[in-house]
Amino acid sequence: MLGYTRAPSKHSDRGAKDKVVVLGSGWAGYGFTRTLDPNKFERVMISPRSYFVFTPLLASTAVGTLEFRATLESVRRLGLDHFHQGWADDIDFNRKVIRVEANVSDDMRSRMNQMVAKHKSPELPIKQGPIFEVPYDKLVIACGSYSQTFGIEGVREHAYFLRDVGDARRIRLKVLQLFEKAALPTTFDEERKKLLHFAIVGGGPTGIEFAAELHDLIRDDLAKLYPTLQKFVAITVYDVAPKVLPMFDQTLANYAMNHFKREGIQVKTQHHMTRIRPDEETEGCMKLNIKEYGDEEVHAGIVVWSTGLMQNPLIEKLTSKALDCPPAVGNEELSNQQIRLQKNPKTGSILTDHYLRVNVVPKDAPPENGNTYPNPGAMSDVFAIGDCAAFTDQALPATAQVANQKAAYLAKGFNKGTVDETEFKFRNLGTMAYLGNWKAIHQSSADEMKGWTAWVLWRTAYLTKSMSVRNKIMVPIYWCITWLFGRHTSRF
Amino acid sequence: MLGYTRAPSKHSDRGAKDKVVVLGSGWAGYGFTRTLDPNKFERVMISPRSYFVFTPLLASTAVGTLEFRATLESVRRLGLDHFHQGWADDIDFNRKVIRVEANVSDDMRSRMNQMVAKHKSPELPIKQGPIFEVPYDKLVIACGSYSQTFGIEGVREHAYFLRDVGDARRIRLKVLQLFEKAALPTTFDEERKKLLHFAIVGGGPTGIEFAAELHDLIRDDLAKLYPTLQKFVAITVYDVAPKVLPMFDQTLANYAMNHFKREGIQVKTQHHMTRIRPDEETEGCMKLNIKEYGDEEVHAGIVVWSTGLMQNPLIEKLTSKALDCPPAVGNEELSNQQIRLQKNPKTGSILTDHYLRVNVVPKDAPPENGNTYPNPGAMSDVFAIGDCAAFTDQALPATAQVANQKAAYLAKGFNKGTVDETEFKFRNLGTMAYLGNWKAIHQSSADEMKGWTAWVLWRTAYLTKSMSVRNKIMVPIYWCITWLFGRHTSRF
């Protein structure tokens, strides 16, 4: 790692403030940095994108209810000491430096595909940005996760994800393009049926909300523009589990399913997708193989994929390698042997203690199932939060709420200088999902709600969290304008 | 042209209403269709894009003052009888049918490049959409023009145009990317100077307004985000003519130049660009050859090209071919011989009479310079308006104002059934240009204005023309939000 350019430090007197480097600009990284006191710490962020995405509203932007930019917050508005647009490529915990590859490309998705492909076949060439090093005093790993495809053929190439704002834009263009294509006088009815079948894989809140928003778009706006095409439209949600929305209790999940049934959205549980490939006969259309259907293939114009998460290449790299010489750890026994980061062997996430410090175990500790190694140490200056981190003894969902709470807890601990005094406690504030047609469901430990009242809560709750004043003004304006004039349906 | 699918007609009783087909959705085509009475005519539009672009605000969207969608009006809101998203590929004036190629691709620019390349080398393959035919009773050709590059090497491949909303988006991403790249710790100062030189070619209103808006963006927003980069920034406007803004009188043009000088924008008149090519040493940077500089090359991070117009391939095709059997024309002499459309040999545009009907001349009439053929005929059912059309004896500028007035004149004539009663008269409402820093210039036959008052006029004038209520609400909201919170500077 020698010989790389070193990023400049704003404070020439390095002793003045600790330099806290955060990897990632999602719910965890952005939330942490926003709360960290700039008077007490030098704040540095490394992320391939220069904005935070307000993910719960992505489905709304994908169908044109909201403008894309209303879900974005520029990291620049945090007034950071330094922001480096790039990927953390490796970390040297001994020298306390991060190796960063600058992101100067335009297309995030093609790059992610490259990285995933390279991880599987390391000999593949990859177009690299310039590499440089960033030193840290304290490090917060909050680089999130990738979409899980379970290695199913064709998913990475042909399915649409819904994790970043670029994904939302691609989905929106594709949906409008499918309608334009179906409307052509040269298109046969049989092809129209194929093109206008919208397949959503994954019955979690993201998949369900996207199905609901898509249904709203079609019913409220596209039905007026393409009245003759309505009879060809179908929306199907596929899930491998016996029920969708597993985080909601049976009453609410049933309410959601009945609502979907009335609206004509099909939900097919216990269906296993096994392949996606282009349909040679109808350009722009896909053929899906489903285990339960045998050789019979399902046609769809678009497949939106939302089945879960996998670790990104950095986390895999960090949790696989042995560290030559242990950095400061809280466990005396470990300081004289080679160590490695402790990971959950099932999900691959980094395990932390309840102060969110990264756990370490002896290099040759058996591949534990997460909580078997009796006495892990913890790095005093390296923390992990968000989707890439987990506890050994408590399974929390990979949600924005958990990431947000961990981020706030950690930043407050930094600010007060009490990082290892009180353990992190997750407070379940409840879960919400939009079901379309101005209805939603909400469930918390205290109560549950469904229908229009839950929808009002859904809309107002989204205005209170992590949003700038600008977007707090713009989002209701967009809602209002959409309600008055309909959604934008220009293919741009 | 046999054997193609025919587009369906909404009205089975074809005698009920005349079917008016409009080619194009710009100022001319959109404006015409908006005014045409749906009770009297069946309205059909053919355009590769499903929206009208409010072009005077494109420069504002390219720098993030306005959201892209605020400049778009969906053609669907016109409630057309039919809209076909595609290119008119050829017209059979005898059978009165248009051959249309459907546009089902995502990227307009790559397609335009393909078409331009194919026109030069017809053997080139081109990825085609499905082809179908659309019959008409009356035809309005309003398909606009392409950007003129004068065949200068590298312009089509490496320069950025500013004609459609996709162009504005590409420019915005590129400008932000250049700043990110210059900010990297691995970038040398010499490279920063190259990357942050913004070259604009063409000193007409579009080029000048873009330079002004770019300067505002850098001074108001990017200067705060990248304070250390400001010393490397330069903006230069190049023009071949001895003065810029030729449509303004000398006082106003001088005012503009003095204003630019104070703001640090360089204007280089009588400079001839001869080549643009990538700089191998600095990735993402361009090398420009300028005749006056000899072998010395100028470096720039981006070249924005706005030098004028050329005809699109359809107009060239239509004005080149001989028509086998003349359709109905107003000149008896011509009805028994082969004819062709009359064109301006210099600009290539279709010549019309003062009722905006397309002129025809004998096939073997000498290549006239526009107004030498003494007695052209006119097609009774084919009209041309906008940038693709001109008069033999009066040179009007290729502006939105002219297109808009011709469109309104023609549609009103259609509605009243008085197409050939009163000749079209252009009424000059004046010209405006934004100069940055809340200043503008305005000139009409009656008066001229400069400075802040002209800026107020500039802003209010743009709210009154061709805009939907939705955008009349949204544009001032965006202006307000930008004024309060600054421009969006996330690279998305």
Side-chain angles (χ1 to χ4, degrees), chain A residues 67 69 76 85 104-106 169 172 177 180 225-226 470 478 486 491, chain B residues 67 69 76 85 104-106 169 172 177 180 225-226 470 478 486 488 491:
Chain A
E67 191 51 63
R69 232 166 282 272
R76 304 283 187 183
Q85 187 153 357
V104 284
S105 79
D106 269 348
R169 185 166 186 270
R172 177 164 172 171
Q177 194 186 2
E180 292 285 355
L225 299 180
Y226 308 94
R470 176 196 203 111
Y478 286 123
R491 233 173 78 199
Chain B
E67 190 51 65
R69 232 166 282 273
R76 304 282 186 185
Q85 186 152 358
V104 284
S105 80
D106 269 349
R169 184 165 187 271
R172 177 163 170 170
Q177 193 185 1
E180 292 285 357
L225 298 182
Y226 309 93
R470 175 197 205 113
Y478 286 123
H488 261 294
R491 232 172 81 198

mmCIF file of all heavy atoms in Angstrom, chain A residues 67 69 76 85 104-106 169 172 177 180 225-226 470 478 486 491, chain B residues 67 69 76 85 104-106 169 172 177 180 225-226 470 478 486 488 491:
data_model
loop_
_atom_site.group_PDB
_atom_site.id
_atom_site.type_symbol
_atom_site.label_atom_id
_atom_site.label_comp_id
_atom_site.label_asym_id
_atom_site.label_seq_id
_atom_site.Cartn_x
_atom_site.Cartn_y
_atom_site.Cartn_z
ATOM 1 N N GLU A 67 -40.646 13.785 -7.894
ATOM 2 C CA GLU A 67 -39.464 14.018 -8.712
ATOM 3 C C GLU A 67 -38.287 13.277 -8.057
ATOM 4 O O GLU A 67 -38.193 13.209 -6.831
ATOM 5 C CB GLU A 67 -39.222 15.527 -8.773
ATOM 6 C CG GLU A 67 -38.197 15.962 -9.770
ATOM 7 C CD GLU A 67 -38.441 15.394 -11.159
ATOM 8 O OE1 GLU A 67 -39.466 15.698 -11.778
ATOM 9 O OE2 GLU A 67 -37.584 14.630 -11.611
ATOM 10 N N ARG A 69 -35.230 13.965 -7.578
ATOM 11 C CA ARG A 69 -34.338 14.726 -6.721
ATOM 12 C C ARG A 69 -34.915 14.973 -5.324
ATOM 13 O O ARG A 69 -34.176 15.292 -4.400
ATOM 14 C CB ARG A 69 -33.993 16.056 -7.407
ATOM 15 C CG ARG A 69 -32.517 16.312 -7.485
ATOM 16 C CD ARG A 69 -32.215 17.439 -8.463
ATOM 17 N NE ARG A 69 -32.282 16.943 -9.816
ATOM 18 C CZ ARG A 69 -31.246 16.394 -10.458
ATOM 19 N NH1 ARG A 69 -30.099 16.312 -9.868
ATOM 20 N NH2 ARG A 69 -31.389 15.948 -11.675
ATOM 21 N N ARG A 76 -22.838 17.176 0.516
ATOM 22 C CA ARG A 76 -22.116 18.442 0.628
ATOM 23 C C ARG A 76 -22.767 19.369 1.649
ATOM 24 O O ARG A 76 -22.111 20.212 2.229
ATOM 25 C CB ARG A 76 -22.081 19.151 -0.734
ATOM 26 C CG ARG A 76 -21.495 18.306 -1.832
ATOM 27 C CD ARG A 76 -19.994 18.258 -1.734
ATOM 28 N NE ARG A 76 -19.405 17.576 -2.868
ATOM 29 C CZ ARG A 76 -18.115 17.343 -2.987
ATOM 30 N NH1 ARG A 76 -17.268 17.719 -2.052
ATOM 31 N NH2 ARG A 76 -17.636 16.714 -4.030
ATOM 32 N N GLN A 85 -15.392 11.095 -3.375
ATOM 33 C CA GLN A 85 -16.337 10.285 -4.135
ATOM 34 C C GLN A 85 -15.601 9.077 -4.691
ATOM 35 O O GLN A 85 -14.851 9.189 -5.670
ATOM 36 C CB GLN A 85 -16.980 11.108 -5.252
ATOM 37 C CG GLN A 85 -18.090 10.337 -5.944
ATOM 38 C CD GLN A 85 -19.149 11.238 -6.557
ATOM 39 O OE1 GLN A 85 -19.103 12.456 -6.423
ATOM 40 N NE2 GLN A 85 -20.109 10.646 -7.207
ATOM 41 N N VAL A 104 -15.164 8.192 -10.934
ATOM 42 C CA VAL A 104 -15.345 9.294 -11.873
ATOM 43 C C VAL A 104 -16.209 8.865 -13.043
ATOM 44 O O VAL A 104 -16.340 9.554 -14.034
ATOM 45 C CB VAL A 104 -13.986 9.850 -12.373
ATOM 46 C CG1 VAL A 104 -13.352 10.702 -11.302
ATOM 47 C CG2 VAL A 104 -13.067 8.731 -12.795
ATOM 48 N N SER A 105 -16.862 7.689 -12.910
ATOM 49 C CA SER A 105 -17.753 7.233 -13.982
ATOM 50 C C SER A 105 -19.142 7.798 -13.765
ATOM 51 O O SER A 105 -19.449 8.367 -12.731
ATOM 52 C CB SER A 105 -17.814 5.710 -14.000
ATOM 53 O OG SER A 105 -18.688 5.269 -12.990
ATOM 54 N N ASP A 106 -20.007 7.607 -14.777
ATOM 55 C CA ASP A 106 -21.362 8.130 -14.667
ATOM 56 C C ASP A 106 -22.361 7.085 -14.201
ATOM 57 O O ASP A 106 -23.376 7.408 -13.620
ATOM 58 C CB ASP A 106 -21.832 8.635 -16.039
ATOM 59 C CG ASP A 106 -21.500 10.094 -16.211
ATOM 60 O OD1 ASP A 106 -21.127 10.709 -15.204
ATOM 61 O OD2 ASP A 106 -21.597 10.589 -17.327
ATOM 62 N N ARG A 169 -35.066 5.648 -11.864
ATOM 63 C CA ARG A 169 -35.168 6.289 -13.175
ATOM 64 C C ARG A 169 -35.257 5.252 -14.291
ATOM 65 O O ARG A 169 -36.043 5.391 -15.220
ATOM 66 C CB ARG A 169 -33.959 7.200 -13.388
ATOM 67 C CG ARG A 169 -34.034 8.000 -14.650
ATOM 68 C CD ARG A 169 -33.018 9.123 -14.690
ATOM 69 N NE ARG A 169 -33.277 9.899 -15.885
ATOM 70 C CZ ARG A 169 -32.706 9.621 -17.062
ATOM 71 N NH1 ARG A 169 -31.839 8.648 -17.182
ATOM 72 N NH2 ARG A 169 -33.009 10.345 -18.116
ATOM 73 N N ARG A 172 -38.721 3.679 -14.335
ATOM 74 C CA ARG A 172 -39.727 4.594 -14.874
ATOM 75 C C ARG A 172 -39.685 4.653 -16.398
ATOM 76 O O ARG A 172 -40.705 4.565 -17.077
ATOM 77 C CB ARG A 172 -39.468 5.974 -14.285
ATOM 78 C CG ARG A 172 -40.389 7.019 -14.813
ATOM 79 C CD ARG A 172 -40.312 8.202 -13.894
ATOM 80 N NE ARG A 172 -41.029 9.340 -14.398
ATOM 81 C CZ ARG A 172 -41.252 10.432 -13.690
ATOM 82 N NH1 ARG A 172 -40.819 10.499 -12.455
ATOM 83 N NH2 ARG A 172 -41.896 11.427 -14.197
ATOM 84 N N GLN A 177 -41.854 3.034 -21.653
ATOM 85 C CA GLN A 177 -41.461 2.469 -22.942
ATOM 86 C C GLN A 177 -42.311 1.239 -23.284
ATOM 87 O O GLN A 177 -42.705 1.052 -24.435
ATOM 88 C CB GLN A 177 -39.987 2.080 -22.844
ATOM 89 C CG GLN A 177 -39.317 1.789 -24.156
ATOM 90 C CD GLN A 177 -37.894 1.276 -23.942
ATOM 91 O OE1 GLN A 177 -37.433 1.116 -22.800
ATOM 92 N NE2 GLN A 177 -37.201 1.028 -25.020
ATOM 93 N N GLU A 180 -45.607 2.485 -24.558
ATOM 94 C CA GLU A 180 -45.452 3.016 -25.919
ATOM 95 C C GLU A 180 -45.360 1.883 -26.925
ATOM 96 O O GLU A 180 -45.959 1.919 -27.995
ATOM 97 C CB GLU A 180 -44.177 3.861 -26.037
ATOM 98 C CG GLU A 180 -44.175 5.168 -25.270
ATOM 99 C CD GLU A 180 -45.025 6.250 -25.915
ATOM 100 O OE1 GLU A 180 -45.554 6.023 -27.012
ATOM 101 O OE2 GLU A 180 -45.181 7.319 -25.294
ATOM 102 N N LEU A 225 -54.408 7.543 -20.829
ATOM 103 C CA LEU A 225 -53.619 7.720 -22.042
ATOM 104 C C LEU A 225 -53.762 6.538 -22.989
ATOM 105 O O LEU A 225 -53.696 6.692 -24.205
ATOM 106 C CB LEU A 225 -52.148 7.908 -21.702
ATOM 107 C CG LEU A 225 -51.804 9.121 -20.850
ATOM 108 C CD1 LEU A 225 -50.315 9.170 -20.610
ATOM 109 C CD2 LEU A 225 -52.262 10.388 -21.555
ATOM 110 N N TYR A 226 -53.891 5.343 -22.427
ATOM 111 C CA TYR A 226 -53.946 4.130 -23.250
ATOM 112 C C TYR A 226 -55.171 3.309 -22.854
ATOM 113 O O TYR A 226 -55.038 2.187 -22.373
ATOM 114 C CB TYR A 226 -52.685 3.288 -23.036
ATOM 115 C CG TYR A 226 -51.375 4.016 -23.192
ATOM 116 C CD1 TYR A 226 -50.728 4.570 -22.093
ATOM 117 C CD2 TYR A 226 -50.761 4.139 -24.439
ATOM 118 C CE1 TYR A 226 -49.515 5.227 -22.223
ATOM 119 C CE2 TYR A 226 -49.554 4.791 -24.577
ATOM 120 C CZ TYR A 226 -48.933 5.337 -23.465
ATOM 121 O OH TYR A 226 -47.739 5.973 -23.606
ATOM 122 N N ARG A 470 -35.555 21.838 2.443
ATOM 123 C CA ARG A 470 -35.894 21.908 1.027
ATOM 124 C C ARG A 470 -36.850 20.785 0.631
ATOM 125 O O ARG A 470 -37.901 21.025 0.046
ATOM 126 C CB ARG A 470 -34.597 21.788 0.218
ATOM 127 C CG ARG A 470 -34.811 21.748 -1.254
ATOM 128 C CD ARG A 470 -33.560 21.229 -1.966
ATOM 129 N NE ARG A 470 -33.560 21.695 -3.323
ATOM 130 C CZ ARG A 470 -32.717 22.586 -3.812
ATOM 131 N NH1 ARG A 470 -31.769 23.083 -3.074
ATOM 132 N NH2 ARG A 470 -32.806 22.962 -5.055
ATOM 133 N N TYR A 478 -44.981 18.292 -4.448
ATOM 134 C CA TYR A 478 -45.112 17.280 -5.503
ATOM 135 C C TYR A 478 -46.370 16.443 -5.302
ATOM 136 O O TYR A 478 -47.084 16.122 -6.254
ATOM 137 C CB TYR A 478 -43.889 16.359 -5.542
ATOM 138 C CG TYR A 478 -42.646 16.983 -6.130
ATOM 139 C CD1 TYR A 478 -41.467 17.046 -5.408
ATOM 140 C CD2 TYR A 478 -42.656 17.499 -7.424
ATOM 141 C CE1 TYR A 478 -40.329 17.600 -5.944
ATOM 142 C CE2 TYR A 478 -41.515 18.071 -7.964
ATOM 143 C CZ TYR A 478 -40.350 18.116 -7.223
ATOM 144 O OH TYR A 478 -39.216 18.663 -7.748
ATOM 145 N N GLY A 486 -52.063 14.949 -11.990
ATOM 146 C CA GLY A 486 -51.622 13.611 -12.396
ATOM 147 C C GLY A 486 -50.107 13.518 -12.446
ATOM 148 O O GLY A 486 -49.407 14.505 -12.251
ATOM 149 N N ARG A 491 -41.639 10.177 -21.455
ATOM 150 C CA ARG A 491 -40.486 9.275 -21.386
ATOM 151 C C ARG A 491 -39.225 10.106 -21.427
ATOM 152 O O ARG A 491 -38.704 10.435 -22.481
ATOM 153 C CB ARG A 491 -40.520 8.337 -22.582
ATOM 154 C CG ARG A 491 -40.422 6.880 -22.209
ATOM 155 C CD ARG A 491 -40.622 6.035 -23.415
ATOM 156 N NE ARG A 491 -39.444 5.969 -24.239
ATOM 157 C CZ ARG A 491 -39.449 5.594 -25.510
ATOM 158 N NH1 ARG A 491 -40.566 5.289 -26.094
ATOM 159 N NH2 ARG A 491 -38.327 5.540 -26.193
ATOM 160 N N GLU B 67 -35.791 22.035 -12.305
ATOM 161 C CA GLU B 67 -35.845 20.596 -12.512
ATOM 162 C C GLU B 67 -36.118 20.344 -14.004
ATOM 163 O O GLU B 67 -36.856 21.098 -14.640
ATOM 164 C CB GLU B 67 -36.966 20.030 -11.632
ATOM 165 C CG GLU B 67 -37.029 18.537 -11.543
ATOM 166 C CD GLU B 67 -35.700 17.910 -11.178
ATOM 167 O OE1 GLU B 67 -35.204 18.151 -10.064
ATOM 168 O OE2 GLU B 67 -35.158 17.182 -12.021
ATOM 169 N N ARG B 69 -37.939 18.303 -15.627
ATOM 170 C CA ARG B 69 -39.307 18.071 -16.035
ATOM 171 C C ARG B 69 -40.141 19.358 -16.125
ATOM 172 O O ARG B 69 -41.191 19.379 -16.754
ATOM 173 C CB ARG B 69 -39.973 17.067 -15.095
ATOM 174 C CG ARG B 69 -40.612 15.921 -15.803
ATOM 175 C CD ARG B 69 -40.939 14.797 -14.831
ATOM 176 N NE ARG B 69 -39.762 14.045 -14.510
ATOM 177 C CZ ARG B 69 -39.325 13.017 -15.242
ATOM 178 N NH1 ARG B 69 -40.007 12.610 -16.271
ATOM 179 N NH2 ARG B 69 -38.225 12.388 -14.910
ATOM 180 N N ARG B 76 -49.430 14.130 -24.607
ATOM 181 C CA ARG B 76 -50.651 13.401 -24.265
ATOM 182 C C ARG B 76 -51.719 14.328 -23.694
ATOM 183 O O ARG B 76 -52.895 14.061 -23.786
ATOM 184 C CB ARG B 76 -50.341 12.317 -23.239
ATOM 185 C CG ARG B 76 -49.258 11.356 -23.676
ATOM 186 C CD ARG B 76 -49.795 10.348 -24.663
ATOM 187 N NE ARG B 76 -48.795 9.338 -24.989
ATOM 188 C CZ ARG B 76 -48.975 8.395 -25.893
ATOM 189 N NH1 ARG B 76 -50.095 8.332 -26.575
ATOM 190 N NH2 ARG B 76 -48.030 7.526 -26.150
ATOM 191 N N GLN B 85 -45.241 7.605 -31.492
ATOM 192 C CA GLN B 85 -43.880 7.962 -31.118
ATOM 193 C C GLN B 85 -42.918 7.341 -32.118
ATOM 194 O O GLN B 85 -42.654 6.138 -32.092
ATOM 195 C CB GLN B 85 -43.578 7.481 -29.685
ATOM 196 C CG GLN B 85 -42.220 7.971 -29.208
ATOM 197 C CD GLN B 85 -42.145 8.143 -27.702
ATOM 198 O OE1 GLN B 85 -43.101 7.935 -26.971
ATOM 199 N NE2 GLN B 85 -40.986 8.538 -27.226
ATOM 200 N N VAL B 104 -38.623 3.077 -30.256
ATOM 201 C CA VAL B 104 -38.777 2.341 -29.009
ATOM 202 C C VAL B 104 -37.456 2.277 -28.253
ATOM 203 O O VAL B 104 -37.303 1.542 -27.295
ATOM 204 C CB VAL B 104 -39.326 0.919 -29.262
ATOM 205 C CG1 VAL B 104 -40.812 0.979 -29.572
ATOM 206 C CG2 VAL B 104 -38.590 0.238 -30.389
ATOM 207 N N SER B 105 -36.477 3.100 -28.681
ATOM 208 C CA SER B 105 -35.197 3.120 -27.981
ATOM 209 C C SER B 105 -35.259 4.132 -26.845
ATOM 210 O O SER B 105 -36.205 4.892 -26.724
ATOM 211 C CB SER B 105 -34.074 3.495 -28.934
ATOM 212 O OG SER B 105 -34.063 4.891 -29.116
ATOM 213 N N ASP B 106 -34.231 4.127 -26.012
ATOM 214 C CA ASP B 106 -34.200 5.043 -24.883
ATOM 215 C C ASP B 106 -33.412 6.297 -25.175
ATOM 216 O O ASP B 106 -33.647 7.343 -24.591
ATOM 217 C CB ASP B 106 -33.553 4.362 -23.671
ATOM 218 C CG ASP B 106 -34.610 3.688 -22.832
ATOM 219 O OD1 ASP B 106 -35.792 3.943 -23.090
ATOM 220 O OD2 ASP B 106 -34.242 2.909 -21.944
ATOM 221 N N ARG B 169 -29.402 17.219 -19.389
ATOM 222 C CA ARG B 169 -29.036 16.291 -18.326
ATOM 223 C C ARG B 169 -27.576 15.841 -18.469
ATOM 224 O O ARG B 169 -26.825 15.770 -17.500
ATOM 225 C CB ARG B 169 -29.969 15.083 -18.368
ATOM 226 C CG ARG B 169 -29.730 14.112 -17.258
ATOM 227 C CD ARG B 169 -30.869 13.124 -17.103
ATOM 228 N NE ARG B 169 -30.633 12.340 -15.914
ATOM 229 C CZ ARG B 169 -29.934 11.207 -15.916
ATOM 230 N NH1 ARG B 169 -29.458 10.724 -17.027
ATOM 231 N NH2 ARG B 169 -29.724 10.560 -14.793
ATOM 232 N N ARG B 172 -25.250 18.643 -17.377
ATOM 233 C CA ARG B 172 -25.234 18.801 -15.923
ATOM 234 C C ARG B 172 -24.360 17.750 -15.252
ATOM 235 O O ARG B 172 -23.534 18.061 -14.383
ATOM 236 C CB ARG B 172 -26.670 18.696 -15.424
ATOM 237 C CG ARG B 172 -26.787 18.769 -13.939
ATOM 238 C CD ARG B 172 -28.211 19.061 -13.602
ATOM 239 N NE ARG B 172 -28.486 18.933 -12.204
ATOM 240 C CZ ARG B 172 -29.620 19.326 -11.656
ATOM 241 N NH1 ARG B 172 -30.551 19.868 -12.395
ATOM 242 N NH2 ARG B 172 -29.821 19.187 -10.379
ATOM 243 N N GLN B 177 -19.255 16.184 -12.706
ATOM 244 C CA GLN B 177 -18.200 15.175 -12.766
ATOM 245 C C GLN B 177 -16.823 15.830 -12.901
ATOM 246 O O GLN B 177 -15.856 15.396 -12.277
ATOM 247 C CB GLN B 177 -18.481 14.273 -13.963
ATOM 248 C CG GLN B 177 -17.691 12.993 -14.016
ATOM 249 C CD GLN B 177 -17.956 12.236 -15.312
ATOM 250 O OE1 GLN B 177 -18.725 12.685 -16.174
ATOM 251 N NE2 GLN B 177 -17.323 11.092 -15.462
ATOM 252 N N GLU B 180 -15.816 17.061 -9.522
ATOM 253 C CA GLU B 180 -15.422 15.933 -8.672
ATOM 254 C C GLU B 180 -14.017 15.451 -9.044
ATOM 255 O O GLU B 180 -13.194 15.160 -8.193
ATOM 256 C CB GLU B 180 -16.389 14.746 -8.827
ATOM 257 C CG GLU B 180 -17.785 14.968 -8.301
ATOM 258 C CD GLU B 180 -17.875 14.916 -6.777
ATOM 259 O OE1 GLU B 180 -16.849 14.640 -6.131
ATOM 260 O OE2 GLU B 180 -18.964 15.183 -6.245
ATOM 261 N N LEU B 225 -18.733 24.691 -2.414
ATOM 262 C CA LEU B 225 -18.382 23.280 -2.249
ATOM 263 C C LEU B 225 -16.914 23.026 -2.535
ATOM 264 O O LEU B 225 -16.306 22.137 -1.944
ATOM 265 C CB LEU B 225 -19.229 22.418 -3.191
ATOM 266 C CG LEU B 225 -20.734 22.466 -2.976
ATOM 267 C CD1 LEU B 225 -21.431 21.533 -3.953
ATOM 268 C CD2 LEU B 225 -21.065 22.057 -1.551
ATOM 269 N N TYR B 226 -16.355 23.755 -3.497
ATOM 270 C CA TYR B 226 -14.969 23.532 -3.902
ATOM 271 C C TYR B 226 -14.198 24.852 -3.859
ATOM 272 O O TYR B 226 -13.745 25.331 -4.898
ATOM 273 C CB TYR B 226 -14.912 22.961 -5.322
ATOM 274 C CG TYR B 226 -15.783 21.761 -5.587
ATOM 275 C CD1 TYR B 226 -17.059 21.901 -6.098
ATOM 276 C CD2 TYR B 226 -15.312 20.473 -5.326
ATOM 277 C CE1 TYR B 226 -17.860 20.787 -6.348
ATOM 278 C CE2 TYR B 226 -16.102 19.364 -5.570
ATOM 279 C CZ TYR B 226 -17.378 19.528 -6.085
ATOM 280 O OH TYR B 226 -18.158 18.432 -6.327
ATOM 281 N N ARG B 470 -49.601 23.429 -14.564
ATOM 282 C CA ARG B 470 -48.672 22.715 -13.689
ATOM 283 C C ARG B 470 -47.294 23.379 -13.670
ATOM 284 O O ARG B 470 -46.744 23.682 -12.619
ATOM 285 C CB ARG B 470 -48.539 21.280 -14.197
ATOM 286 C CG ARG B 470 -47.519 20.471 -13.470
ATOM 287 C CD ARG B 470 -47.144 19.225 -14.264
ATOM 288 N NE ARG B 470 -46.658 18.225 -13.359
ATOM 289 C CZ ARG B 470 -47.282 17.089 -13.097
ATOM 290 N NH1 ARG B 470 -48.390 16.776 -13.687
ATOM 291 N NH2 ARG B 470 -46.776 16.250 -12.237
ATOM 292 N N TYR B 478 -39.644 26.372 -8.159
ATOM 293 C CA TYR B 478 -38.235 25.994 -8.299
ATOM 294 C C TYR B 478 -37.319 27.204 -8.179
ATOM 295 O O TYR B 478 -36.261 27.148 -7.544
ATOM 296 C CB TYR B 478 -37.972 25.298 -9.635
ATOM 297 C CG TYR B 478 -38.477 23.886 -9.723
ATOM 298 C CD1 TYR B 478 -39.352 23.499 -10.710
ATOM 299 C CD2 TYR B 478 -38.064 22.923 -8.806
ATOM 300 C CE1 TYR B 478 -39.819 22.192 -10.802
ATOM 301 C CE2 TYR B 478 -38.517 21.631 -8.882
ATOM 302 C CZ TYR B 478 -39.398 21.267 -9.886
ATOM 303 O OH TYR B 478 -39.846 19.979 -9.968
ATOM 304 N N GLY B 486 -30.231 27.195 -2.800
ATOM 305 C CA GLY B 486 -29.167 26.907 -3.760
ATOM 306 C C GLY B 486 -29.587 25.813 -4.724
ATOM 307 O O GLY B 486 -30.647 25.214 -4.585
ATOM 308 N N HIS B 488 -29.358 22.176 -6.764
ATOM 309 C CA HIS B 488 -29.006 20.784 -6.476
ATOM 310 C C HIS B 488 -27.658 20.489 -7.108
ATOM 311 O O HIS B 488 -27.472 20.726 -8.293
ATOM 312 C CB HIS B 488 -30.037 19.853 -7.090
ATOM 313 C CG HIS B 488 -31.059 19.376 -6.117
ATOM 314 N ND1 HIS B 488 -30.740 18.569 -5.063
ATOM 315 C CD2 HIS B 488 -32.388 19.581 -6.038
ATOM 316 C CE1 HIS B 488 -31.838 18.289 -4.378
ATOM 317 N NE2 HIS B 488 -32.852 18.902 -4.952
ATOM 318 N N ARG B 491 -24.593 14.567 -8.221
ATOM 319 C CA ARG B 491 -24.398 13.995 -9.554
ATOM 320 C C ARG B 491 -25.398 12.886 -9.753
ATOM 321 O O ARG B 491 -25.179 11.747 -9.381
ATOM 322 C CB ARG B 491 -22.979 13.437 -9.644
ATOM 323 C CG ARG B 491 -22.208 13.929 -10.838
ATOM 324 C CD ARG B 491 -20.788 13.490 -10.749
ATOM 325 N NE ARG B 491 -20.628 12.114 -11.182
ATOM 326 C CZ ARG B 491 -19.575 11.374 -10.892
ATOM 327 N NH1 ARG B 491 -18.619 11.859 -10.145
ATOM 328 N NH2 ARG B 491 -19.480 10.147 -11.333
#
